[in-house]
Every structure is written in C-alpha cells, then in structure tokens.
Amino acid sequence: MKQQEVKILVFKIKDEYYATNINEVERILACVKTAKIPDSPEFVEGVMNYENSILPIISLAKIFKLPSSVITEESKIIIIRQNDSKIGIIVDGVSEVKDIVLDNIEDPPDIIKGISKGYIKGLIRIDGKIIIYLNMSQILTNEQKKQIL
C-alpha cells in the first residue's frame, strides 16, 4: 500500500526552516518595494499591486516575534490564499518543493501553546534539519485578519 504524501514548500526565516502545503501557495515572487501604509499594524510591511488589486504584505518574522530580516536578493514574497482573499508573506528565501510522507510529520511538542498551536501543524525532520510545518490559513489571528483583509 502506498503511503500518503503531501507536497510542501520549504522556506527560510532567519536561520530556521518552515514549510507549508503547496496547495496554500499561489505564486512566489521576487521581493519588491512595498508601499508603506501609515498607522498599519507592525507585522504589515506594506502593500503592492498584484493582479490589479492591492495585496497586503506581511512579515512572518514580526508575527513570530523574531528580529526583522534584511531584504536581500534571496528574499521572496509568497502569495498565500486566505479563503476568498490573498496575502503576501516576506521570507528570507525559498528552499525547495518536496514530497513528504504524512507519517514523517510529527505532532508539535506540548510546549507549543496559545496562538502558535493553531498555526503549527507539526515538525518534519529532513537531512538533519527540523522544519516547522505551518498552516498558513491560521497564521493570522482573527483580530489581525480584520486589520488587513
């Protein structure tokens, strides 16, 4: 019997690896300058024109309370579908698309509590690295969604 697999996109923020189901990803773009919006939430980097609509661009580093990253040539914007809307997420780099056997995804440890428990699906071990598997549709709290969508 064939084991069930999921296709993931692996990306990097600071020195940590994260992944999301490729089905949540619409597109990966080179990082572009965004228009800063006065009085916007701290996690919002700005907005950009995407397919003739205004797309909010957020920083996962700021949501995860990590120091802000410096934008480099490796930085990317991952366009994520959020139900009927879309958001862009700035990451330090995109690593690869990989097929993962579902049995190789471990449940998050008990120390993960609160808000992060909603968006961390599990942990994946690949090539000596631990990759944090995210549920992008849960990355923003309902309050944060109301602020930008």
Side-chain angles (χ1 to χ4, degrees):
M1 188 166 98
K2 188 172 192 267
Q3 291 183 316
Q4 267 194 305
E5 291 184 338
V6 64
K7 193 173 289 282
I8 61 169
L9 173 71
V10 180
F11 56 92
K12 195 171 179 182
I13 301 171
K14 293 292 180 195
D15 294 325
E16 299 295 329
Y17 288 91
Y18 298 88
T20 188
N21 188 310
I22 197 73
N23 293 331
E24 293 186 289
V25 176
E26 178 168 306
R27 185 175 284 164
I28 301 167
L29 304 172
C31 209
V32 297
K33 185 164 176 40
T34 59
K36 302 286 185 206
I37 303 295
D39 236 9
S40 60
E42 183 184 340
F43 62 90
V44 175
E45 289 296 317
V47 295
M48 66 179 270
N49 184 19
Y50 177 72
E51 296 182 343
N52 294 322
S53 63
I54 302 298
L55 182 73
I57 306 299
I58 66 169
S59 165
L60 274 188
K62 289 180 181 175
I63 287 176
F64 295 163
K65 296 180 177 47
L66 299 171
S68 290
S69 300
V70 175
I71 304 297
T72 68
E73 279 186 20
E74 300 294 315
S75 301
K76 302 288 184 215
I77 296 175
I78 302 173
I79 308 298
I80 301 291
R81 291 181 211 102
Q82 293 269 309
N83 299 323
D84 295 334
S85 56
K86 299 171 187 168
I87 59 171
I89 296 176
I90 294 179
V91 298
D92 293 342
V94 171
S95 175
E96 61 189 322
V97 174
K98 236 176 160 31
D99 290 316
I100 299 295
V101 175
L102 288 178
D103 291 344
N104 291 341
I105 301 173
E106 299 177 23
D107 289 335
D110 291 337
I111 60 167
I112 298 173
K113 294 185 177 12
I115 294 170
S116 60
K117 194 164 185 88
Y119 60 74
I120 296 179
K121 285 185 183 179
L123 302 175
I124 304 166
R125 286 186 233 205
I126 301 175
D127 305 326
K129 297 183 288 216
I130 294 179
I131 298 172
I132 301 168
Y133 187 39
L134 301 173
N135 180 352
M136 288 299 201
S137 65
Q138 300 296 318
I139 237 27
L140 297 175
T141 65
N142 287 336
E143 182 65 30
Q144 289 169 327
K145 287 177 187 176
K146 286 178 193 170
Q147 291 176 309
I148 66 166
L149 298 177

